[in-house]
Amino acid sequence: MWTTLGATLLGAFIATGTSLLVESRRDRRAAVAEWRQSRRELYGAFLSALTKARGELWTISRDDRLPNEERATAARAIFAGCYEQRYQLEVFAPSGVVTPALNYFRSVRRLRDAVGEGLRWDDAARTAHDDDVVQGLHATRDAMRVDMRTDAMRTE
C-alpha cells in the first residue's frame, strides 16, 4: 500500500514538475519573441525617421528659391521628429547598438546644420556629408543586425 501511494505521489510530482518546466520555457520563448519584435519596431522606426529626414534635407538643398532663414527653419523642422526615436533607442537598445546609432544621428544632424547654413545639392561639400551619413547608416544597421541575430537566421 505504501509503495503504491509513494509511486503515485512520485508520478504526480514528476508530472507537475515537467508541466512547470514546459510552461516556463514557453513563457520565456514568448517573452524573447515579444522583446525581439519590440526591438525590430524600434530599430525600424529609428532608421526610417533618420532616412526620411536625410531625404527631405537633400530635397530642400535643391530648392534655389528658398531663402536662407526659411531653409534653416525647414531643416530644423524636418529633423525634429528624430529626437523621439533617438531617446527611445538610447533607453531600450544595448550599448553595441546605441553607440553607432548616436553617431548616425549626429551625422544627420550635421547634415541638417549644413543644409540650414546653405549647403546645396550641387556643392562639392555635399559628397563628404553624404558619405558621413551613409557610413553612419551602415554601421548602425550592421549593429542592429548583430543584436537581432538576423544573419544567423536561416532563410528558406
Side-chain angles (χ1 to χ4, degrees), residues 31-147:
V32 166
E34 183 179 332
W35 184 244
R36 180 173 282 137
Q37 180 61 31
S38 296
R39 282 187 294 175
R40 183 179 296 130
E41 291 170 6
L42 174 66
Y43 293 170
F46 179 81
L47 293 175
S48 177
L50 289 172
T51 301
K52 181 180 176 191
R54 174 184 173 218
E56 290 178 7
L57 288 167
W58 284 131
T59 296
I60 67 170
S61 76
R62 289 183 176 101
D63 188 352
D64 293 329
R65 296 168 288 142
L66 194 61
N68 284 342
E69 284 183 19
E70 289 180 30
R71 182 182 309 278
T73 300
R76 284 192 302 276
I78 286 168
F79 192 73
C82 298
Y83 284 98
E84 178 182 352
Q85 300 303 324
R86 171 196 168 174
Y87 297 138
Q88 287 182 18
L89 190 93
E90 284 184 279
V91 171
F92 293 110
S95 61
V97 172
V98 171
T99 300
L102 288 178
N103 290 336
Y104 177 39
F105 176 88
R106 290 177 183 126
S107 69
V108 176
R109 188 173 58 193
R110 284 189 296 273
L111 174 61
R112 174 207 67 186
D113 293 343
V115 168
E117 293 169 1
L119 178 69
R120 304 280 189 221
W121 175 256
D122 54 359
D123 286 351
R126 177 193 68 83
T127 304
H129 282 286
D130 209 36
D131 289 348
D132 186 32
V133 171
V134 169
Q135 287 175 2
L137 168 62
H138 290 173
T140 301
R141 185 196 57 214
D142 292 347
M144 289 174 175
R145 290 179 62 82
V146 167
D147 179 50

